[in-house]
Amino acid sequence: MNIVFLDRATLGPSVKFPKPRFAHCWTEYPQTSPTQTSERLQAAHIAITNKVVIDEAVLNNCPHLKYIAVAATGTNVIDVDACQARNVVVANVTDYATQDVAEHALMLMLTLCKQLKAYQQAIGEGEWQKSGQFCFFLDQMPAIGSLHGKTLGLIGTGNIARATARLATALGMEVQYYSPSGRTEVGGGRCIILSHLLKTSDIVSVHCPLTDSTQHLIGADELEIMKPSALLVNTARGPIVDIDALIHAINTGVIAGAGLDVLPQEPPAQDSPIMQAAINNPRMVITPHTAWASHNAMQTLANQLITKIEHFAALSPC
C-alpha cells in the first residue's frame, strides 16, 4: 500500500510514527499546498492529513485512494459525503489531548484573570523596578481577579468540556453547559439554552466541533448578551467565533477580554485585524493552536493513527 502523509510538519519533530506492520511505501511531505494535493495522492491508497483539505475535486483525481487518516479529531477538512459516495473510509483520532486542551483552556482563563500579560509587559519595561515597592500595581488595568466562585459556561458537552469542568470545579468554580448538539444533560447536570449561559457566565469557554450550525455561533449579538466583566476562551475551532465582532466587543468594552488558541485563518497575517488588535492588548491573549500539542498528546495521536491504519489494512488489502 502507498501511504502519503501530506503535512508531517504539523506534528512536532519529537513525535515518532511507528512503522506500519504490513507491506507499504511511506512518503511524507512537511507541507502540501492545495495545488499539490491531487498530484501527491495520485497513487496513494492511504492519505494522512492534519489540515490539508481533501475535497471532491481532489478525490476525483485519486482513483486508488481507499482510506483517509485525519491526524486530528475534527474532520472539517474532508468532504465526508464525497468520500462516502466513493467508499473512501475517513478515520479521525480521538481523546489524545483531552487533558492537555482542558489545561490550556484553564491557563488562558488564569492568564486573563490574573492580568499576566499586562504585568509581564510592565516588568519588561522596568515599571516594577522603578516603583520602589515590593508589590507593584497597574493603575490602568482592572484589578487582579480570582477564578474561585466564578461561573464557567461551557459550550459543548464532550470529553474536553467535561475535563475542563473537572479542573474548574477543583478551583471552586460553578459550571454550566450549553449543548450545540441538543443534549439535555451532561454529567448529571442540566444543559441550559445559549442565551442564558452567555448572560450568567463570568467566563465562556468553547469546546464544540466546527459545523455549519456552529459557524459564528458566537457573534455580535451573543457577545452583547455577555457580562461586561466576562471573558471568552476558545480552544476549539476559530470560525466558531466571529473574530471581527470579538475585536469590536473587546475594544468597546462589551466584554473584558478573550483567550484564543484558534483563529479563522491559521497562521494569521501579521497585519491582520486580529494580530493588530492583540499584539499590545493585555485583554487579548493568543496562542498558536498549541492546546493539543504536548509531546505526550502528539505521540498518543501518532500511535493511535497507525493502529487504525493497520486495522484497515488487515481488513481491506489492496
Side-chain angles (χ1 to χ4, degrees):
M1 288 189 182
N2 292 320
I3 304 173
V4 177
F5 198 157
L6 294 170
D7 50 357
R8 173 63 178 84
T10 59
L11 280 296
S14 65
V15 177
K16 307 300 180 186
F17 278 82
K19 184 177 180 180
R21 293 175 293 182
F22 58 87
H24 69 279
C25 176
W26 178 284
T27 304
E28 64 181 44
Y29 302 94
Q31 302 176 40
T32 296
S33 70
T35 58
Q36 296 171 321
T37 307
S38 293
E39 180 184 353
R40 290 181 174 180
L41 294 181
Q42 195 85 56
H45 300 103
I46 296 172
I48 303 173
T49 179
N50 189 333
K51 294 295 179 284
V52 178
V53 172
I54 300 179
D55 56 17
E56 186 169 18
V58 171
L59 292 167
N60 286 339
N61 291 308
C62 303
H64 305 291
L65 192 61
K66 299 298 181 184
Y67 184 92
I68 300 173
V70 182
T73 299
T75 58
N76 51 289
V77 298
I78 309 298
D79 187 333
V80 176
D81 291 338
C83 287
Q84 289 177 343
R86 292 161 175 78
N87 295 317
V88 176
V89 176
V90 178
N92 63 343
V93 184
T94 60
D95 297 334
Y96 59 91
T98 298
Q99 193 64 24
D100 293 272
V101 177
E103 290 176 6
H104 198 96
L106 199 72
M107 180 271 291
L108 291 172
M109 297 175 206
L110 285 166
T111 297
L112 291 163
C113 189
K114 302 300 182 183
Q115 306 297 344
L116 179 61
K117 186 176 178 180
Y119 278 94
Q120 285 295 104
Q121 183 176 343
I123 290 172
E125 295 171 352
E127 295 299 318
W128 183 27
Q129 300 88 315
K130 292 185 291 187
S131 71
Q133 298 291 333
F134 84 98
C135 184
F136 169 70
F137 298 103
L138 285 166
D139 295 334
Q140 302 304 315
M141 289 299 299
I144 296 171
S146 173
L147 294 185
H148 182 86
K150 296 294 194 299
T151 298
L152 173 62
L154 295 167
I155 296 178
T157 58
N159 290 339
I160 294 175
R162 283 175 281 169
T164 305
R166 289 192 292 270
L167 294 177
T169 301
L171 291 179
M173 301 183 77
E174 298 292 328
V175 176
Q176 53 189 12
Y177 293 90
Y178 163 70
S179 172
S181 63
R183 285 186 181 176
T184 57
E185 64 88 24
V186 58
R190 185 172 62 89
C191 295
I192 61 177
I193 62 173
L194 179 59
S195 59
H196 186 60
L197 179 139
L198 295 172
K199 183 178 181 180
T200 58
S201 296
D202 298 298
I203 301 174
V204 174
S205 191
V206 181
H207 300 283
C208 62
L210 175 61
T211 64
D212 289 343
S213 62
T214 61
Q215 176 102 4
H216 285 186
L217 181 68
I218 303 298
D221 292 342
E222 289 73 25
L223 292 163
E224 286 283 352
I225 297 173
M226 295 172 65
K227 299 178 181 181
S229 59
L231 303 172
L232 177 69
V233 171
N234 186 9
T235 55
R237 286 292 184 267
I240 295 172
V241 176
D242 182 335
I243 206 69
D244 293 330
L246 178 62
I247 293 169
H248 179 75
I250 292 176
N251 288 341
T252 58
V254 172
I255 66 171
L260 308 173
D261 185 56
V262 289
L263 296 175
Q265 178 184 335
E266 296 174 341
Q270 187 63 19
D271 61 352
S272 63
I274 184 61
M275 290 305 297
Q276 294 305 304
I279 287 173
N280 294 312
N281 188 346
R283 296 187 297 151
M284 188 176 291
V285 178
I286 295 177
T287 52
H289 206 138
T290 53
W292 66 283
S294 74
H295 170 74
N296 287 344
M298 289 192 292
Q299 189 60 59
T300 298
L301 180 154
N303 295 344
Q304 186 183 139
L305 184 144
I306 296 301
T307 297
K308 288 191 173 186
I309 288 176
E310 289 176 335
H311 181 69
F312 169 77
L315 296 176
S316 306
C318 291

